[in-house]
Protein backbone atom coordinates (compact mmCIF):
# COMPACT_ATOMS: atom_id res chain seq x y z
CA UNK A 1 0.00 0.00 0.00
CA UNK A 2 1.28 3.42 -0.91
CA UNK A 3 1.71 6.16 1.67
CA UNK A 4 1.24 8.92 -0.92
CA UNK A 5 -1.90 11.00 -1.09
CA UNK A 6 -4.33 9.70 -3.79
CA UNK A 7 -3.91 12.84 -5.89
CA UNK A 8 -0.12 12.49 -5.89
CA UNK A 9 -0.08 8.98 -7.30
CA UNK A 10 1.19 8.71 -10.85
CA UNK A 11 -0.83 6.82 -13.32
CA UNK A 12 0.36 5.18 -16.48
CA UNK A 13 -2.03 4.97 -19.39
CA UNK A 14 -1.75 3.09 -22.62
CA UNK A 15 -0.72 5.45 -25.41
CA UNK A 16 -2.31 4.97 -28.79
CA UNK A 17 -0.51 6.38 -31.79
CA UNK A 18 -2.53 7.23 -34.87
CA UNK A 19 -0.65 7.54 -38.10
CA UNK A 20 -2.33 9.16 -41.10
CA UNK A 21 -2.88 6.95 -44.08
CA UNK A 22 -2.08 8.68 -47.38
CA UNK A 23 -4.95 8.79 -49.81
CA UNK A 24 -4.44 7.43 -53.25
CA UNK A 25 -5.12 10.08 -55.86
CA UNK A 26 -8.31 9.60 -57.81
CA UNK A 27 -7.99 9.21 -61.53
CA UNK A 28 -8.90 12.24 -63.59
CA UNK A 29 -12.56 12.23 -64.59
CA UNK A 30 -13.26 11.06 -68.07
CA UNK A 31 -14.54 13.66 -70.48
CA UNK A 32 -18.25 13.61 -71.14
CA UNK A 33 -18.88 12.10 -74.54
CA UNK A 34 -21.85 13.65 -76.28
CA UNK A 35 -24.46 11.35 -77.68
CA UNK A 36 -23.29 12.10 -81.23
CA UNK A 37 -19.93 10.29 -80.81
CA UNK A 38 -16.35 11.01 -79.77
CA UNK A 39 -15.50 14.72 -79.43
CA UNK A 40 -13.02 16.25 -81.80
CA UNK A 41 -9.33 16.49 -80.83
CA UNK A 42 -7.79 19.94 -81.21
CA UNK A 43 -4.11 20.88 -81.43
CA UNK A 44 -2.89 24.36 -80.50
CA UNK A 45 0.68 25.68 -81.13
CA UNK A 46 1.72 28.24 -78.51
CA UNK A 47 3.92 31.25 -79.45
CA UNK A 48 6.94 29.69 -77.66
CA UNK A 49 6.70 26.57 -79.86
CA UNK A 50 4.96 24.18 -77.48
CA UNK A 51 2.04 22.15 -78.80
CA UNK A 52 -1.10 21.42 -76.78
CA UNK A 53 -3.49 18.71 -77.84
CA UNK A 54 -6.87 18.01 -76.25
CA UNK A 55 -10.57 17.71 -76.61
CA UNK A 56 -12.63 20.76 -77.40
CA UNK A 57 -14.98 21.81 -74.65
CA UNK A 58 -18.29 23.15 -75.85
CA UNK A 59 -19.24 26.54 -74.44
CA UNK A 60 -21.62 26.37 -71.53
CA UNK A 61 -25.13 27.20 -72.61
CA UNK A 62 -27.07 29.41 -70.22
CA UNK A 63 -30.33 28.05 -68.93
CA UNK A 64 -33.23 29.06 -71.12
CA UNK A 65 -35.19 31.98 -69.72
CA UNK A 66 -38.72 31.24 -68.68
CA UNK A 67 -41.34 33.46 -70.18
CA UNK A 68 -42.49 36.15 -67.78
CA UNK A 69 -46.21 36.49 -67.21
CA UNK A 70 -47.75 39.72 -68.53
CA UNK A 71 -48.59 40.81 -64.95
CA UNK A 72 -46.23 40.40 -62.02
CA UNK A 73 -47.18 38.24 -59.06
CA UNK A 74 -46.76 41.19 -56.69
CA UNK A 75 -49.35 43.19 -58.62
CA UNK A 76 -51.77 40.26 -58.55
CA UNK A 77 -51.28 39.83 -54.78
CA UNK A 78 -51.85 43.54 -54.15
CA UNK A 79 -55.00 43.49 -56.27
CA UNK A 80 -56.35 40.42 -54.46
CA UNK A 81 -55.58 42.05 -51.12
CA UNK A 82 -57.51 45.17 -52.16
CA UNK A 83 -60.51 43.10 -53.24
CA UNK A 84 -60.45 41.21 -49.94
CA UNK A 85 -60.19 44.44 -47.95
CA UNK A 86 -63.12 45.93 -49.86
CA UNK A 87 -65.16 42.81 -49.15
CA UNK A 88 -64.39 43.04 -45.44
CA UNK A 89 -65.08 46.79 -45.14
CA UNK A 90 -68.86 46.31 -45.28
CA UNK A 91 -68.70 43.79 -42.46
CA UNK A 92 -66.41 46.05 -40.43
CA UNK A 93 -68.84 48.95 -40.87
CA UNK A 94 -71.74 46.80 -39.65
CA UNK A 95 -69.65 45.57 -36.72
CA UNK A 96 -68.78 49.10 -35.60
CA UNK A 97 -72.43 50.20 -35.98
CA UNK A 98 -73.52 47.21 -33.87
CA UNK A 99 -70.94 48.01 -31.16
CA UNK A 100 -72.07 51.67 -31.07
CA UNK A 101 -75.74 50.65 -30.77
CA UNK A 102 -74.95 48.14 -28.03
CA UNK A 103 -72.99 50.79 -26.11
CA UNK A 104 -75.89 53.26 -26.35
CA UNK A 105 -78.35 50.59 -25.17
CA UNK A 106 -76.20 49.66 -22.15
CA UNK A 107 -75.78 53.37 -21.30
CA UNK A 108 -79.56 53.87 -21.38
CA UNK A 109 -80.08 50.84 -19.13
CA UNK A 110 -77.61 52.22 -16.59
CA UNK A 111 -79.32 55.64 -16.62
CA UNK A 112 -82.75 54.01 -16.24
CA UNK A 113 -81.53 51.94 -13.30
CA UNK A 114 -80.07 55.06 -11.67
CA UNK A 115 -83.36 56.98 -12.09
CA UNK A 116 -85.46 54.12 -10.69
CA UNK A 117 -83.10 53.51 -7.76
CA UNK A 118 -82.85 57.24 -7.06
CA UNK A 119 -86.66 57.54 -7.08
CA UNK A 120 -86.97 54.63 -4.67
CA UNK A 121 -84.44 56.27 -2.33
CA UNK A 122 -86.38 59.59 -2.56
CA UNK A 123 -89.65 57.87 -1.68
CA UNK A 124 -87.99 56.19 1.28
CA UNK A 125 -86.63 59.48 2.59
CA UNK A 126 -89.45 61.89 1.74
CA UNK A 127 -92.41 59.54 1.75
CA UNK A 128 -95.33 59.38 4.25
CA UNK A 129 -94.28 58.30 7.73
CA UNK A 130 -96.32 56.56 10.33
CA UNK A 131 -96.97 59.21 13.04
CA UNK A 132 -97.56 56.67 15.82
CA UNK A 133 -94.06 55.33 15.74
CA UNK A 134 -92.26 58.34 17.28
CA UNK A 135 -92.69 60.62 20.33
CA UNK A 136 -94.46 63.91 19.72
CA UNK A 137 -93.20 66.97 21.58
CA UNK A 138 -95.33 70.10 21.77
CA UNK A 139 -92.80 72.88 21.76
CA UNK A 140 -95.43 75.67 22.24
CA UNK A 141 -95.89 74.76 25.88
CA UNK A 142 -92.19 74.57 26.63
CA UNK A 143 -90.60 77.30 28.72
CA UNK A 144 -87.07 78.51 28.10
CA UNK A 145 -85.43 80.24 31.08
CA UNK A 146 -81.84 81.34 31.10
CA UNK A 147 -80.94 79.26 27.99
CA UNK A 148 -82.26 76.10 29.67
CA UNK A 149 -85.13 74.13 28.20
CA UNK A 150 -87.95 73.06 30.61
CA UNK A 151 -90.64 70.89 29.26
Amino acid sequence: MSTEHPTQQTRTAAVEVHRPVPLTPLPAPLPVVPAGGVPEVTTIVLPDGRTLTGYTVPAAQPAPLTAKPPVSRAAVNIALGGIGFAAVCGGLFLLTAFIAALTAFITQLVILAAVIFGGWIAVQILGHRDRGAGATVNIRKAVIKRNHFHS
Side-chain angles (χ1 to χ4, degrees), residues 20 22 24 36 52 65-66 70 74 79 86 90-92 97 99 109-110 115 121-122 124 128 131 140:
T24 57
L52 297 176
L65 297 175
T66 57
L92 289 176
I99 290 172
L109 285 180
V110 168
V115 168
I121 293 292
Q124 295 299 317
H128 183 272
R131 296 287 179 193
R140 284 180 281 157

Side-chain angles (χ1 to χ4, degrees), residues 73-89:
R73 288 181 180 240
V76 170
N77 290 338
I78 291 171
L80 290 177
I83 291 171
F85 182 74
V88 168
C89 280

Side-chain angles (χ1 to χ4, degrees), residues 143-151:
V143 178
I144 299 176
K145 290 183 180 178
R146 294 185 190 163
N147 294 331
H148 188 63
F149 178 76
H150 297 281
S151 57

Side-chain angles (χ1 to χ4, degrees), residues 12-31:
T12 57
V15 177
E16 293 182 25
V17 178
H18 295 281
R19 302 210 188 278
V21 178
L23 297 174
T24 57
L26 295 175
L30 297 174

Side-chain angles (χ1 to χ4, degrees), residues 38-112:
V38 178
E40 182 179 326
V41 176
T42 304
T43 303
I44 299 174
V45 178
L46 296 176
D48 61 355
R50 291 183 292 162
T51 304
L52 297 176
T53 303
Y55 293 102
T56 58
V57 177
Q61 297 292 330
L65 297 175
T66 57
K68 287 188 174 183
V71 179
S72 70
R73 288 181 180 240
V76 170
N77 290 338
I78 291 171
L80 290 177
I83 291 171
F85 182 74
V88 168
C89 280
L92 289 176
F93 178 72
L94 289 177
L95 181 64
T96 54
F98 174 75
I99 290 172
L102 185 63
T103 304
F105 178 69
I106 291 173
T107 304
Q108 289 176 357
L109 285 180
V110 168
I111 292 171
L112 179 65

